[in-house]
Amino acid sequence: MLYPTSFENKLGFDQIRELLKSKCLSTIGKDLVSSIAFSADRDDIFLNLQLTGEMLNVLNIEEGFPSQDYYNLIPDISRITIPGTYLEEEILSELRLSLQTVADLISFFSSRQESYPLLFAQIESTIADSSALGLPADFIHRIDRIVDERSQVRDNASPELLKLRKEKAFKIASVESKIHHDLKVARQSGWTPDDAEVTIRNGRLVIPMLSAHKRKISGYVHDESATGQTVYIEPAEIFETNNEIREIEYAEKREIVKILIAFTDQLRPETHNLISLYHFMGVIDFIRAKALFAVDVSGILPKQAGRTSFPGGRKHAFKWYQAIHPNLYLHFKNIKKTVVPLDLELEADERILIISGPNAGGKSVCLKTVGLIQYMFQCGLLPTVREDSEFLIFKKIFIDIGDEQSIDNDLSTYTSKLLNLKFFLEHVDEDSLLLIDEFGSGTDPSQGGAMAEACLEEMALKNTYGIITTHYSNLKLLSGKIRGIVNGAMLYDSKKLKPLYRLKKGKPGNSFAFEIAAQIGFPSAVLDKARNITGHSQLNFEKQIQDLETEKEEMSKKTTELGVADDFLAELITKYEKLSGDLEKSKKEVIENARNEALRIISEANKTVEKTIKEIKEAQAEKEKTRTARADLKEFKEKLENNPPPAVNIEAGNLKASETKPDRKAKTPRTVLLKPQATGYESPKHIQYQSYLDDLHMKLIEFQSTLDLRGKRVDETISLLQKYIDDAIMLSIPEVRILHGKGNGVLRQVTRDYLRSVKEIKSAKDELLERGGSGITVVLFK
């Protein structure tokens, strides 16, 4: 249930319908746009969102999607159900082109059914009979044998037609030959005007003759000039031939009709299947239009839309992040402005949000944003929120926005609002969403406020969900007194006297009536009197609350920024610790390898010594010298086992073992053996700072001046783009290039939209034509 009857107009959904229609290629698609309706059926909403989400991926990723010749021939096909009727040549050409589009669509989704299962399922759900899938190719072939690319019936469409056209061509050639001969004689005789040429009158070839000489050639006068000085004569000798040509033309038309009837007779039994084919094409056109609209307004498929347990019960919360009003977004995009997004959460114990704040502070826009996005969602259009947002499904949506006073019905503004309230009280329940702007206004504030408070309490008892804007202080005091009611404020910078257009839940807002009046130059004496009447304590209290909320918002922003910086620093420290560990491990491995290598060398040297001793024995050398050689060798071996070899060079970040050559003798002087030097100690702060600089240096070395986004999805594109631009700003890169390609223009649009939101960017424009043109965006930083 929706209320009032002007629901779509008040929220601006009628504008969205027109935008969707403008994106349709067929009248069937436009008719389906007109039939878009609010649904509370969870499965129906789920299917429509998923279908549009799949089509959005098609537009972002695929190439060659059929997007032309979406003719709607259902009226013409329905007309030929009566025997004897037929389709004209031009309709036949449109039938051929549109059937080719249907065939291409079926082929496109059949070859990608794993990627787009729901779109592929539309083939079976909209095409009545599977045998109809072969009809496009069959009838395309038949039409090609009848009609050419100029929508003319071919000469060889039938043997009789070919015969008639050959005969007509022969007789026309004969007539042209004779009449040109007569014109030549008339020119030579001076019977015609100087610029006379053979022309046509009443479908006949004629010769322009001067009136004074019109009897010089025997024939029939078909026309004369406005002055009467020239007459147009058909020579008698070709008159009969022209009559014969006319009869052949009549026979030709009869044969063409006969051919078209014969073809239509073949088409007639398949009328029902053909209509289902065109309905399939229209459905795809309709879904495509919704996906194109989603591209324009950055609509997304919420993650929850892919869950089996799609939301709809009261156990789920109403949580929206980064919501934007689609119509406002499109308007601001045209004038190079940015919409401030809306974050909104309503829990089971916080069902009704009372929003207060200054005029022109964004209260009404907030209300309309909620109403329009919720309505879009339940109409199967991708909502303009962040993908992790959560939706409830309502069976009823009631709004009271704008003035409903009527001269015809003698209704005042307040009377119309009372009638709306009466309707709401009779119909709201826990499955309702209630949106009321300027609640209680239009009458005496004390009485209007009392009525609003009583109605609000009754609505809260019925567990309805609602968002209500007001300036009444008594309504702001209901939070905490009545279960389910919570305050909210549209934040306002009281120092700069500028609205921030951000919603903050938990505290009421100040109307800033006096501050705004002062800003526009209102008489100070009058303002002072007004302040005295209101009471300074009340004014100061509201101002302090608002200042506190503004400061809290700024602190939250600073905390977030510090958190990001802290995470980055922690990441760098983790990298350092890992590198340090790897370095120590490598150091130990090198030392161990060097020691093993030295032992191997000693072992080889030992063999040499044994050989030498053997030779000494054989030479009957002195035993004492042999013992001395053995002792020296043993001492050297023990030294190597207990200490690293001296030829190991350890440098920061560079470990290598120098080649060690054994001495020609088996002895090594002790002075050559060196103890490893202890490494110096550096403080953790110094290590972190140096690591941070090293990380920046590495980022600068690895940074590429061009980011290639071709083939990426929209969510992938935004993530990559954000990181790339952040790195460029951090490294003070003056200029970069974003390669997104041309294609459907989706990636280019997403890229440009994001770049416009970065204040550090000076400009973003197309590359020179010879270097890539609109397929590349050149970004200059401030």
Side-chain angles (χ1 to χ4, degrees), residues 52 95 102 141 193 224 272 310 312 321 337 355 361 388 424 426 443 498 608 614 637 714 757-758 773:
T52 309
L95 178 67
V102 172
H141 179 66
E224 67 178 9
H272 181 67
F310 195 74
Y321 307 110
K337 290 180 66 178
I355 303 177
D388 57 342
F424 299 159
E426 292 172 349
T443 189
K498 288 177 57 179
T608 302
K614 182 179 180 182
K637 183 176 181 182
V714 170
S757 69
V758 181

Side-chain angles (χ1 to χ4, degrees), residues 96-383:
R96 188 243 184 266
L97 293 172
S98 53
L99 285 178
Q100 183 64 61
T101 299
V102 172
D104 292 343
L105 287 172
I106 293 172
S107 174
F108 182 90
F109 289 117
S110 296
S111 63
R112 298 167 175 83
Q113 56 182 299
E114 291 184 0
S115 300
Y116 312 109
L118 294 176
L119 286 171
F120 172 74
Q122 291 300 299
I123 298 174
E124 295 181 354
S125 64
T126 55
I127 298 176
D129 188 345
S130 59
S131 63
L133 298 179
L135 291 180
D138 181 31
F139 282 117
I140 288 170
H141 179 66
R142 296 186 192 185
I143 294 170
D144 282 340
R145 289 186 300 179
I146 297 173
V147 180
D148 61 21
E149 60 278 0
R150 297 171 301 167
S151 301
Q152 301 293 322
V153 175
R154 298 181 185 275
D155 292 348
N156 59 355
S158 74
E160 180 63 22
L161 183 62
L162 181 62
K163 175 184 174 183
L164 289 170
R165 287 184 172 172
K166 284 183 176 180
E167 185 178 356
K168 184 175 76 170
F170 176 77
K171 290 186 179 293
I172 289 174
S174 173
V175 167
E176 289 178 348
S177 175
K178 289 179 182 180
I179 200 166
H180 279 95
H181 176 268
D182 290 347
L183 176 62
K184 182 178 180 181
V185 171
R187 279 178 177 170
Q188 292 172 350
S189 303
W191 302 339
T192 65
D194 294 337
D195 58 348
E197 294 291 344
V198 173
T199 186
I200 296 176
R201 289 292 186 275
N202 300 324
R204 301 286 190 123
L205 292 174
V206 295
I207 300 174
M209 297 279 291
L210 295 172
S211 296
H213 304 292
K214 64 182 179 181
R215 301 191 183 281
K216 297 295 179 65
I217 293 181
S218 176
Y220 301 91
V221 177
H222 283 273
D223 199 4
E224 67 178 9
S225 65
T227 61
Q229 294 181 357
T230 303
V231 295
Y232 298 92
I233 298 176
E234 179 184 12
E237 59 182 327
I238 66 171
F239 182 77
E240 287 301 325
T241 306
N242 275 334
N243 284 341
E244 292 173 1
I245 291 173
R246 182 62 60 85
E247 290 178 1
I248 292 173
E249 288 175 346
Y250 290 145
E252 179 186 10
K253 289 181 179 179
R254 290 192 296 271
E255 181 61 22
I256 288 175
V257 170
K258 181 180 177 182
I259 293 169
L260 296 177
I261 288 175
F263 173 78
T264 305
D265 289 343
Q266 299 172 2
L267 203 65
R268 188 172 293 112
E270 302 295 343
T271 298
H272 181 67
N273 285 330
L274 287 170
I275 289 175
S276 67
L277 289 173
Y278 277 96
H279 183 64
F280 164 71
M281 181 175 65
V283 168
I284 296 299
D285 183 31
F286 168 61
I287 298 171
R288 174 181 173 274
K290 292 198 294 181
L292 287 172
F293 175 72
V295 171
D296 287 348
V297 299
S298 300
I300 56 90
L301 179 67
K303 285 183 177 178
Q304 66 172 170
R307 298 176 183 169
T308 305
S309 56
F310 195 74
R314 296 276 69 85
K315 61 181 180 179
H316 296 280
F318 184 104
K319 296 181 180 180
W320 289 6
Y321 307 110
Q322 302 291 299
I324 59 171
H325 191 292
N327 295 343
L328 188 62
Y329 173 80
L330 292 175
H331 174 67
F332 274 23
K333 188 160 65 172
N334 289 334
I335 60 177
K336 312 300 181 185
K337 290 180 66 178
T338 304
V339 178
V340 178
L342 169 71
D343 290 341
L344 176 63
E345 295 187 15
L346 294 179
E347 304 288 350
D349 57 347
E350 295 178 344
R351 292 170 176 262
I352 298 179
L353 178 65
I354 306 293
I355 303 177
S356 49
N359 286 321
K363 298 191 302 296
S364 296
V365 173
C366 171
L367 203 67
K368 291 181 179 179
T369 300
V370 173
L372 184 55
I373 293 179
Q374 183 68 36
Y375 187 64
M376 285 172 54
F377 174 79
Q378 293 194 228
C379 285
L381 298 180
L382 297 183

Side-chain angles (χ1 to χ4, degrees), residues 565-631:
D566 189 54
D567 291 342
F568 179 65
L569 185 58
E571 180 184 355
L572 293 182
I573 292 172
T574 302
K575 287 183 180 178
Y576 167 77
E577 291 176 347
K578 183 178 185 300
L579 288 173
S580 179
D582 293 344
L583 182 65
E584 187 65 28
K585 181 180 178 183
S586 299
K587 175 181 174 181
K588 290 180 180 179
E589 289 178 353
V590 170
I591 292 173
E592 183 66 24
N593 290 338
R595 181 184 291 112
N596 292 336
E597 178 66 15
L599 292 174
R600 185 188 66 79
I601 293 169
I602 292 298
S603 178
E604 292 293 328
N606 195 35
K607 292 180 182 179
T608 302
V609 170
E610 291 295 334
K611 181 180 179 183
T612 303
I613 292 173
K614 182 179 180 182
E615 292 174 353
I616 291 172
K617 286 182 178 180
E618 291 175 353
Q620 295 181 349
E622 292 182 9
K623 293 183 178 180
E624 186 61 28
K625 291 184 178 180
T626 302
R627 284 196 297 271
T628 300
R630 285 178 179 275

Side-chain angles (χ1 to χ4, degrees), residues 134 156 275 432 643 665 699 747 779:
N156 59 355
I275 289 175
S432 304
N643 297 283
K665 297 180 181 180
K699 280 182 178 288
L747 290 183
V779 181

Side-chain angles (χ1 to χ4, degrees), residues 568 695-703 727 730-731:
F568 179 65
D695 193 85
L696 287 181
H697 181 67
M698 186 59 65
K699 280 182 178 288
L700 185 59
I701 292 174
E702 296 177 351
F703 188 88
D727 287 348
M730 181 176 66
L731 298 173

